Amino acid sequence: MSSRVKLNISDTPLNPANMPQHVAIIMDGNGRWAHARGQRRREGHFQGYLALKDTVYATDDLKIPYLTVYGFSSENWRRPSEEVHGLMDLMATAIHAELDELMENDIRVRVQGRLHEIPEHTRLAFAEAVERTSANARLTFTLAINYGGRAEIVDSVKQLAIQLQSGALTADAVTEELISKNLYWPDHPDPDLLIRTAGEKRLSNFLLWETAYSEIHITPTLWPDFNAQSLIIAISDYQSRVRKFGAVLEA
Ligand code: IPE
Ligand code: IPE
Ligand code: MG
């Protein structure tokens, strides 16, 4: 069993009645974290893995049912091959090493993205984690790997085009709900809160469809320095927002 100290929502300033149900994170700044210490980028990625581990358990402690993180974008192939392969190896090793503890904590792992394009050993490590945790019922922890928001929409439209071609679907039946239902994980609620670390103010092709009405929290904290306290600050910020979804609020 792990010796982790459990975080209790009643020990935080958070309002338990207004918690986000789905938190999504663009984990950015590993390279800058390493550079600032005169270390290799891979050291930043390794520390980023440790920050992710803390974040997963903090999210679970706060009883948030969904966490989705951006692990590798469809554009990250543009990085030097040594870095890409280092990341693929790290992900395979990390998910394998964490599996027993994820099981103990009843956490369900999912992966979304074009997995057929990633190295086999990484794909198999994810497949094992997804399979072994599939009946777990607490936090659903989704890793976006070789994921692109545009690619996800393209994949969804392709599914619909096949049904249209076969006559199973008519153009009039294409609605927002139908597109949502053909995305990678149709049963996930849209993220209430999107966090980006390391200060960049862009989506970088993450969850383009799903973040239509997400509240966005950008922090200068570099991802390897992100921890439970950073998550609490992000959720406090979320709780200070007025969500209007296009409507006018009554006085
Ligand atoms: C995020 O950190 C990790 C991945 C994109 C996989 P970066 O590697 O992008 O870090 P910076 O942006 O160079 O600091
Ligand atoms: C987004 O970060 C991708 C991940 C966090 C996995 P990047 O570092 O790749 O984004 P850009 O290049 O700064 O937009
Ligand atoms: Mg970056």
Side-chain angles (χ1 to χ4, degrees):
M1 284 297 276
S2 123
S3 55
R4 191 178 305 282
V5 182
K6 253 192 174 309
L7 181 66
N8 199 321
I9 197 165
S10 58
D11 298 332
T12 74
L14 299 174
N15 172 3
N18 184 25
M19 294 296 285
Q21 296 303 292
H22 183 179
V23 174
I25 309 181
I26 301 174
M27 310 181 290
D28 197 15
N30 295 353
R32 278 163 278 181
W33 185 93
H35 184 77
R37 286 163 180 75
Q39 294 177 1
R40 310 280 299 270
R41 291 179 62 83
R42 65 162 177 254
E43 201 48 47
H45 294 317
F46 183 77
Q47 291 301 323
Y49 150 43
L50 301 181
L52 176 57
K53 179 168 176 171
D54 282 353
T55 304
V56 167
Y57 291 111
T59 306
D60 182 46
D61 286 348
L62 294 174
K63 301 191 165 45
I64 294 167
Y66 292 94
L67 172 70
T68 301
V69 302
Y70 209 1
F72 190 90
S73 78
S74 50
E75 287 71 39
N76 286 148
W77 298 105
R78 294 175 185 153
R79 296 187 178 203
S81 125
E82 188 198 343
E83 179 169 351
V84 168
H85 285 98
L87 279 165
M88 292 295 163
D89 290 347
L90 173 62
M91 292 190 284
T93 316
I95 197 70
H96 189 72
E98 297 303 329
L99 202 41
D100 286 345
E101 200 172 336
L102 290 163
M103 285 303 293
E104 275 169 28
N105 285 280
D106 203 15
I107 292 174
R108 178 174 198 176
V109 177
R110 281 179 160 180
V111 187
Q112 66 174 8
R114 290 184 173 167
L115 294 183
H116 55 281
E117 294 169 357
I118 70 172
E120 190 182 19
H121 71 292
T122 313
R123 189 169 60 243
L124 291 176
F126 281 133
E128 186 196 4
V130 168
E131 156 73 23
R132 263 189 69 196
T133 64
S134 63
N136 289 355
R138 236 152 65 191
L139 175 70
T140 296
F141 166 47
T142 303
L143 286 141
I145 306 295
N146 191 23
Y147 172 86
R150 287 186 172 182
E152 183 181 25
I153 294 169
V154 167
D155 289 349
S156 167
V157 169
K158 265 192 196 150
Q159 294 292 330
L160 296 178
I162 292 169
Q163 294 172 39
L164 277 164
Q165 238 169 7
S166 73
L169 186 71
T170 61
D172 280 348
V174 178
T175 58
E176 290 188 13
E177 286 69 30
L178 191 70
I179 292 179
S180 292
K181 265 195 213 143
N182 282 274
L183 296 175
Y184 292 147
W185 289 108
D187 53 340
H188 285 191
D190 287 342
D192 299 298
L193 169 62
L194 172 69
I195 299 171
R196 182 163 188 151
T197 60
E200 241 59 78
K201 297 177 182 70
R202 53 177 171 262
L203 287 174
S204 301
N205 202 14
F206 190 44
L207 302 178
L208 297 182
W209 179 273
E210 298 87 339
T211 54
Y213 265 102
S214 303
E215 296 298 329
I216 301 175
H217 173 84
I218 294 172
T219 170
T221 301
L222 303 175
W223 177 251
D225 291 326
F226 195 90
N227 57 25
Q229 194 51 39
S230 323
L231 181 66
I232 292 168
I233 291 170
I235 298 171
S236 291
D237 184 22
Y238 166 81
Q239 293 190 335
S240 74
R241 309 284 180 86
V242 179
R243 302 186 79 188
K244 298 194 287 190
F245 301 98
V248 175
L249 291 188
E250 295 193 16

